[in-house]
Amino acid sequence: MDQVFENHFCTRYPEIFPSSGNEIAPYFGFECRNGWFELLDATCTLIQKHQQEQLCAPVIATQVKEKFGTLRFYYRGGDDYIGRLIDLAEYLSDSICDVCGKPGQTLERNKWLRTRCPSHAVEPGNPAATVSVPTESPSQFADVIAAALHLFDLDAAAAARWLTNTNRALSQSPLSEAISAGNYQQVVTLIGQIEHGVGR
Ligand SMILES: [Zn+2]
C-alpha cells in the first residue's frame, strides 16, 4: 500500500496503528495493494467508533496483508463486535479488486490467487488505478458495513453474502451499488427498510 495511504491510517487512527512520528512504525506491515484502502478505512472508522462508545480492550493492528487473494487483518485486543467486523471486512475483500477497489472476484493466475475486477484480472498496472485518500468526511462505506452487520445480528458471513449477492431491489449486489455506483446511502436506506419489514 502506498505511503500516502499508510500515513492516512496513522494520522486518522493513531490508537489502532502503531506510529513512529508521522509514519507507521517500521515494524508494522501493510502488505496489500491500494484497492482495499476504502474497505480498510471503513473498517477502521467503525473500530474507532466502537472503542469510543464501549469499554473494550484497545484494538492494535499488528499486520494487514493479502493472503490467498483476500485480506487478513491481524490485531490484539477488541471484543466480539470487533472480531465480527474484521471477519466481515475479510469476507468482503473476496469481492473487491485489490488494485482499484471496484467489484471483483478471486481468481487464480499462475498459481497465485488475486481478487481483481475484469480490467485488472491480467495486468494490475493497466489501466492505472485511481484510488484516492478521502476528504475529512467520515467513510460512507462504514455506514453500509455497520448497517449490514446489525441487520444480520453480527453474523459476518450472512452479512457478506447479502452484500455480495444480487439484490432484487437494486438489480446488482448491494456492495456493487455502494462501491461501484457510489450509492452508499441507497444501500443503507434499503437495509433500514428491511429492518422495518418493508421487504427483503
Ligand atoms: Zn480493478
Side-chain angles (χ1 to χ4, degrees):
M1 192 164 274
D2 291 350
Q3 191 70 47
V4 63
F5 300 107
E6 297 192 3
N7 291 349
H8 168 85
F9 286 115
C10 177
T11 304
R12 187 167 290 186
Y13 314 105
E15 292 163 358
I16 302 173
F17 295 96
S19 61
S20 169
N22 288 323
E23 295 185 351
I24 292 281
Y27 54 83
F28 181 81
F30 255 116
E31 297 160 30
C32 62
R33 292 178 184 271
N34 299 341
W36 290 337
F37 170 76
E38 193 185 4
L39 175 65
L40 282 165
D41 190 45
T43 304
C44 291
T45 294
L46 294 172
I47 291 172
Q48 187 162 274
K49 183 166 180 277
H50 183 73
Q51 287 202 150
Q52 288 166 351
E53 292 172 350
Q54 311 273 333
L55 289 172
C56 78
V59 177
I60 298 169
T62 53
Q63 191 178 28
V64 176
K65 65 186 284 189
E66 175 274 330
K67 186 176 182 183
F68 300 129
T70 56
L71 177 70
R72 297 291 186 279
F73 190 112
Y74 300 108
Y75 65 100
R76 298 195 302 269
D79 58 9
D80 186 52
Y81 177 81
I82 297 293
R84 308 289 184 100
L85 187 57
I86 290 173
D87 284 348
L88 179 52
E90 292 181 349
Y91 288 137
L92 292 180
S93 69
D94 188 38
S95 300
I96 299 175
C97 176
D98 72 346
V99 173
C100 70
K102 296 282 189 247
Q105 59 179 320
T106 304
L107 312 159
E108 184 183 329
R109 183 171 166 77
N110 299 331
K111 298 185 178 170
W112 285 90
L113 289 168
R114 291 284 182 264
T115 302
R116 295 282 160 81
C117 68
S119 301
H120 295 121
V122 176
E123 175 51 64
N126 185 25
T130 53
V131 182
S132 56
V133 176
T135 59
E136 284 306 303
S137 60
S139 166
Q140 290 184 293
F141 195 11
D143 296 339
V144 171
I145 291 174
L149 201 52
H150 182 265
L151 176 64
F152 288 93
D153 299 323
L154 305 186
D155 182 337
R161 275 196 302 275
W162 185 84
L163 284 167
T164 56
N165 285 337
T166 302
N167 184 285
R168 273 185 299 140
L170 302 170
S171 301
Q172 62 179 336
S173 74
L175 183 70
S176 293
E177 185 74 25
I179 65 174
S180 190
N183 293 327
Y184 300 92
Q185 189 53 49
Q186 189 169 342
V187 177
V188 172
T189 300
L190 175 63
I191 292 171
Q193 288 169 345
I194 294 168
E195 291 266 21
H196 294 97
V198 176
R200 191 181 287 251

